[in-house]
Amino acid sequence: MPFPKKVLLVVNPIAGDVDKTELIENIESKAKSQGFDLAVYRTDGENDRQAIEQSLQDFQPDRVLVAGGDGTINQIADILQGKPVTMGLLPLGSANGLATNLGISGDWQESVEVALGEHISCLDGMMINGHLGLHLSDLGLNARLVKNYEEGEVRGKWGYAKEVIRTLSEHDLFRVRITTDTETVETDATIVILANATMYGTGVVINPEGNLCDGKFEVIVATRFDIIELAKLIAGATELDPEVVRTFCTTHAEIECLEQQALFQIDGEFMGPVDRVKAHILPNMLSVAVPAVTEGVK
């Protein structure tokens, strides 16, 4: 793909709690030296979708750079799906799940080079209960961890480790019926994962067979709290006890909570308790700039 001629930079000013001035100035300098037109939009939480859609219509960029966390990236991906525009990621959030899966550095200077570069990959999405999901969503154990971390007072790795211990002590089983393209299964579960990608933003590989642009996603269910198998799952092991961890590859899935609601999160955003989740794949919904080594990334 040729170098972009028109670039829209969407910046979330509060993402990552860092000043974005240097980043914006760097991209403005590149626009002057490399000869592309640049427009900058700063989100403010007030009618951002309408304003960005208007910018796309008026400016007609061929590349949209997104400086923010997974929430901002999901919002822009939802706007861009199906449009002939490539998205470039400048990950500035706390987890940066999609960027991690694409091998995009958390160093903004490196990510700018990738976001403006010529290496492009397709990206599937998942429509989950009416919301766009790009990498990993789940019911149960990890969703409780997301909730606990959001409510906790300590940030960073220490805060996360603290909430892992707390979450494991609070775990419980819930009964689900899982329907995929090929089968229906009823089972107890401690976690049910809808996985388009391979890993969480922390770098933990949860779905070694995941592929971001194969037109399918995986449903992974741990049927009981087995600390050894959960540790193997978290470590990215491929040889798991089928009596504890099961994986289904599919294009559609429905998870029904049969006896009680389960906590649910989409790409790191806590969505609250649910009694049913419906998901389907959105194949090749978007093109995204990637590092050369991950072009055509799994």
Side-chain angles (χ1 to χ4, degrees), residues 98-171:
L98 182 61
T100 299
N101 278 272
L102 292 171
I104 296 172
S105 171
D107 180 290
W108 68 260
Q109 292 179 321
E110 293 182 18
S111 65
V112 166
E113 297 299 324
V114 172
L116 291 171
E118 62 181 7
H119 301 284
I120 307 299
S121 179
C122 74
L123 179 67
D124 294 341
M126 293 185 290
M127 187 55 62
I128 310 171
N129 281 10
H131 299 274
L132 178 65
L134 295 177
H135 44 100
L136 293 167
S137 306
D138 50 64
L139 299 93
L141 190 64
N142 186 65
R144 182 175 293 277
L145 174 58
V146 170
K147 175 178 181 290
N148 287 344
Y149 183 75
E150 286 185 358
E151 295 175 348
E153 298 180 355
V154 182
R155 300 291 92 184
K157 292 182 179 180
W158 285 112
Y160 188 81
K162 174 186 175 183
E163 298 307 336
V164 167
I165 296 170
R166 174 185 168 192
T167 301
L168 289 175
S169 70
E170 295 175 347
H171 80 276

Side-chain angles (χ1 to χ4, degrees), residues 74-228:
N74 276 34
Q75 180 186 39
I76 305 307
D78 191 29
I79 294 170
L80 294 180
Q81 62 172 302
K83 293 181 172 62
V85 180
T86 295
M87 183 169 69
L89 308 185
L90 308 177
L92 298 176
S94 57
N96 304 313
L98 182 61
T100 299
N101 278 272
L102 292 171
I104 296 172
S105 171
D107 180 290
W108 68 260
Q109 292 179 321
E110 293 182 18
S111 65
V112 166
E113 297 299 324
V114 172
L116 291 171
E118 62 181 7
H119 301 284
I120 307 299
S121 179
C122 74
L123 179 67
D124 294 341
M126 293 185 290
M127 187 55 62
I128 310 171
N129 281 10
H131 299 274
L132 178 65
L134 295 177
H135 44 100
L136 293 167
S137 306
D138 50 64
L139 299 93
L141 190 64
N142 186 65
R144 182 175 293 277
L145 174 58
V146 170
K147 175 178 181 290
N148 287 344
Y149 183 75
E150 286 185 358
E151 295 175 348
E153 298 180 355
V154 182
R155 300 291 92 184
K157 292 182 179 180
W158 285 112
Y160 188 81
K162 174 186 175 183
E163 298 307 336
V164 167
I165 296 170
R166 174 185 168 192
T167 301
L168 289 175
S169 70
E170 295 175 347
H171 80 276
D172 54 7
L173 290 173
F174 53 101
R175 191 77 180 169
V176 294
R177 180 184 296 120
I178 301 171
T179 303
T180 69
D181 292 343
T182 58
E183 59 187 305
T184 298
V185 174
E186 188 172 318
T187 180
D188 289 332
T190 188
I191 186 171
V192 180
I193 304 168
L194 303 174
N196 186 39
T198 61
M199 67 183 78
Y200 287 108
T202 56
V204 170
V205 176
I206 205 78
N207 181 31
E209 301 305 314
N211 187 318
L212 282 163
C213 57
D214 64 351
K216 298 178 181 179
F217 65 95
E218 284 71 45
V219 179
I220 304 167
V221 54
T223 60
R224 64 175 185 264
F225 190 84
D226 184 306
I227 193 66
I228 294 176

Side-chain angles (χ1 to χ4, degrees), residues 21-36:
T21 302
E22 187 178 359
L23 180 147
I24 295 171
E25 290 176 349
N26 178 276
I27 297 174
E28 288 174 339
S29 176
K30 287 184 180 297
K32 292 179 181 178
S33 64
Q34 299 178 12
F36 61 85

Side-chain angles (χ1 to χ4, degrees), residues 180-181 214-217 249-253 279-282:
T180 69
D181 292 343
D214 64 351
K216 298 178 181 179
F217 65 95
C249 186
T250 188
T251 63
H252 293 76
H280 66 270
I281 198 73
L282 300 171

Side-chain angles (χ1 to χ4, degrees), residues 25-58:
E25 290 176 349
N26 178 276
I27 297 174
E28 288 174 339
S29 176
K30 287 184 180 297
K32 292 179 181 178
S33 64
Q34 299 178 12
F36 61 85
D37 293 332
L38 176 69
V40 180
Y41 177 81
R42 294 169 176 82
T43 64
D44 60 10
E46 299 287 339
N47 300 314
D48 285 326
R49 185 180 185 103
Q50 295 91 326
I52 292 168
E53 288 177 339
Q54 190 64 51
S55 294
L56 291 172
Q57 181 177 329
D58 295 342

